[in-house]
């Protein structure tokens, strides 16, 4: 069974001390879909096995538990750690580039060809942080800058999942997810990664690192499609026009006696 990536992005992953995991989605039901393979379809015409015959359970992919990464505990790791020397295209210098935001490059995050620091670095650049010997919030979106004058860790680079160490990274990631409007939360990852064969993760392979990487990719795709290349003034005007249209549609629904549609709160970055 596969967990749809839309549900994955709207859910919170909890790992228990014994290594088991569950996904909590308080605002929505978890939708799990199954797909028959060609082999199963071919076997569909065969007589069913006896009811009392026990069938072997399908093998489930196991979660890849990464070892703690102690260099990330160094406060200077953000500025001294290696970036852009492997397959993943990213540089600390300047703002985000078209090459860094291609589907092919972002898919390398799923393939684990990008380090946790490299994923963070690309998100930082898209949020407006600029590097000059150190990270500075020179072009950071105003609302985000108020809360995060320094670039936050969205992945949990130390990979130590205690409340004291990982708690801030979890909350940072949740803030990033909440900045995406509801209508954009579930679409981009599925749409742009499907051509590479990515259809989602199975519950058995989920880890905090894997989940947060997926959430970062979805935010980067949202940024590329909705924010990239626009000034703050242009984005605010687009938002104003969108809100006016939504209010018009809301009033029309009220006149028709339809129930108002509930939408989760959004804390946009600008």
């Amino acid at each position: 069974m596969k967990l749809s990536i839309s549900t994955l992005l709207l859910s919170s992953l909890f790992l228990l001390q014994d290594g088991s995991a569950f996904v909590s989605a308080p605002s929505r039901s978890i939708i799990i879909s199954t797909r028959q393979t060609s082999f199963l379809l071919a076997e569909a015409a065969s007589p069913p096995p006896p009811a009392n015959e026990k069938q072997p359970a399908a093998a489930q992919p196991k979660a890849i538990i990464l070892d703690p990464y102690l260099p990330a505990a160094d406060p200077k790791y953000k500025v001294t750690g290696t970036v852009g020397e492997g397959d993943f295209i990213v540089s600390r210098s300047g703002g985000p580039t078209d090459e860094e935001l291609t589907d092919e490059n972002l898919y390398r995050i799923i393939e684990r060809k990008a380090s946790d620091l490299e994923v963070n670095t690309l998100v930082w650049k898209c949020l407006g942080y600029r590097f000059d010997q150190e990270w500075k919030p020179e072009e950071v979106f105003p609302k985000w800058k108020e809360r995060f004058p320094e670039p936050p860790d969205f992945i949990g680079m130390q990979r130590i999942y205690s409340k004291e160490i990982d708690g801030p990274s979890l909350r940072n990631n949740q803030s990033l997810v909440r900045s995406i409007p509801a209508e954009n939360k579930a679409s981009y990852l599925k749409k742009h990664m499907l051509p590479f064969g990515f259809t989602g993760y199975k519950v058995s392979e989920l880890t905090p690192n894997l989940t947060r990487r997926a959430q970062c990719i979805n935010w980067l795709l949202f940024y590329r499609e909705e924010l990239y290349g626009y000034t703050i003034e242009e984005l605010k005007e687009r938002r104003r026009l969108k809100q006016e249209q939504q209010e018009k549609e809301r009033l029309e629904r009220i006149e028709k006696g339809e129930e108002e549609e509930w939408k989760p709160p959004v804390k946009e970055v600008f």
Side-chain angles (χ1 to χ4, degrees):
M1 301 184 79
K2 285 205 171 185
L3 179 65
S4 68
I5 194 62
S6 60
T7 302
L8 202 170
L9 291 168
L10 292 173
S11 305
S12 299
L13 175 68
F14 297 85
L15 290 182
L16 305 182
Q17 290 183 347
D18 62 0
S20 60
F22 67 95
V23 174
S24 172
S27 60
R28 295 192 179 189
S29 299
I30 294 180
I31 302 174
I32 297 178
S33 60
T34 58
R35 181 183 297 176
Q36 283 185 304
T37 64
S38 57
F39 173 78
L40 289 177
L41 291 173
E43 292 292 319
S46 302
N52 60 351
E53 183 177 327
K54 187 176 181 180
Q55 298 300 306
Q60 296 292 318
K62 294 183 179 180
I64 300 176
I65 307 300
L66 302 175
D67 292 330
Y69 190 67
L70 299 183
D74 184 348
K76 296 182 179 180
Y77 179 67
K78 290 181 179 181
V79 302
T80 61
T82 301
V83 298
E85 295 186 4
D87 294 328
F88 187 67
I89 301 171
V90 68
S91 168
R92 284 192 178 96
S93 61
T97 66
D98 293 347
E99 192 177 21
E100 290 173 338
L101 293 172
T102 63
D103 289 346
E104 291 80 6
N105 198 46
L106 296 182
Y107 182 66
R108 294 182 182 118
I109 298 175
I110 293 177
E111 294 182 297
R112 297 185 185 275
K113 292 182 179 180
S115 68
D116 295 343
L117 177 59
E118 288 177 322
V119 178
N120 271 325
T121 297
L122 184 53
V123 177
W124 294 340
K125 291 174 61 173
C126 292
L127 283 166
Y129 297 97
R130 296 293 177 262
F131 187 76
D132 181 13
Q133 305 303 317
E134 62 182 359
W135 287 102
K136 300 178 181 179
E138 294 179 354
E139 301 177 29
V140 175
F141 293 108
K143 288 187 177 180
W144 188 270
K145 184 177 180 179
E146 291 176 6
R147 296 187 60 197
F148 301 99
E150 296 184 3
D153 180 5
F154 297 109
I155 305 292
M157 294 188 290
Q158 294 189 53
R159 302 172 187 164
I160 298 175
Y161 299 107
S162 65
K163 182 178 180 181
E164 294 76 15
I165 295 177
D166 188 62
S169 296
L170 172 61
R171 291 189 291 273
N172 296 339
N173 189 278
Q174 290 170 338
S175 295
L176 191 70
V177 172
R178 282 195 296 268
S179 72
I180 307 176
E183 59 267 24
N184 302 121
K185 265 187 168 66
S187 58
Y188 291 121
L189 189 63
K190 180 178 180 181
K191 175 182 177 182
H192 293 281
M193 297 297 105
L194 186 60
F196 300 96
F198 180 73
T199 57
Y201 294 115
K202 292 187 177 181
V203 174
S204 60
E205 61 184 324
L206 291 176
T207 65
N209 185 276
L210 202 65
T211 305
R212 294 172 195 174
R213 281 172 171 260
Q215 291 164 337
C216 284
I217 299 171
N218 199 58
W219 187 89
L220 288 166
L221 288 167
F222 159 72
Y223 167 83
R224 187 188 73 188
E225 299 297 316
E226 302 294 334
L227 309 180
Y228 185 44
Y230 292 98
T231 66
I232 296 295
E233 291 70 24
E234 290 172 334
L235 290 172
K236 288 182 177 179
E237 177 62 14
R238 291 178 67 202
R239 180 174 61 187
R240 184 186 67 79
L241 295 173
K242 180 179 179 180
Q243 289 174 342
E244 287 182 355
Q245 180 62 30
Q246 290 176 337
E247 178 63 14
K248 179 181 178 182
E249 293 173 356
R250 187 184 73 84
L251 294 175
E252 289 176 352
R253 288 195 298 269
I254 292 177
E255 289 181 0
K256 295 178 181 179
E258 299 177 359
E259 293 185 6
E260 289 195 50
E261 180 182 2
W262 180 86
K263 292 184 178 181
V266 177
K267 294 185 177 179
E268 295 180 286
V269 294
F270 61 91

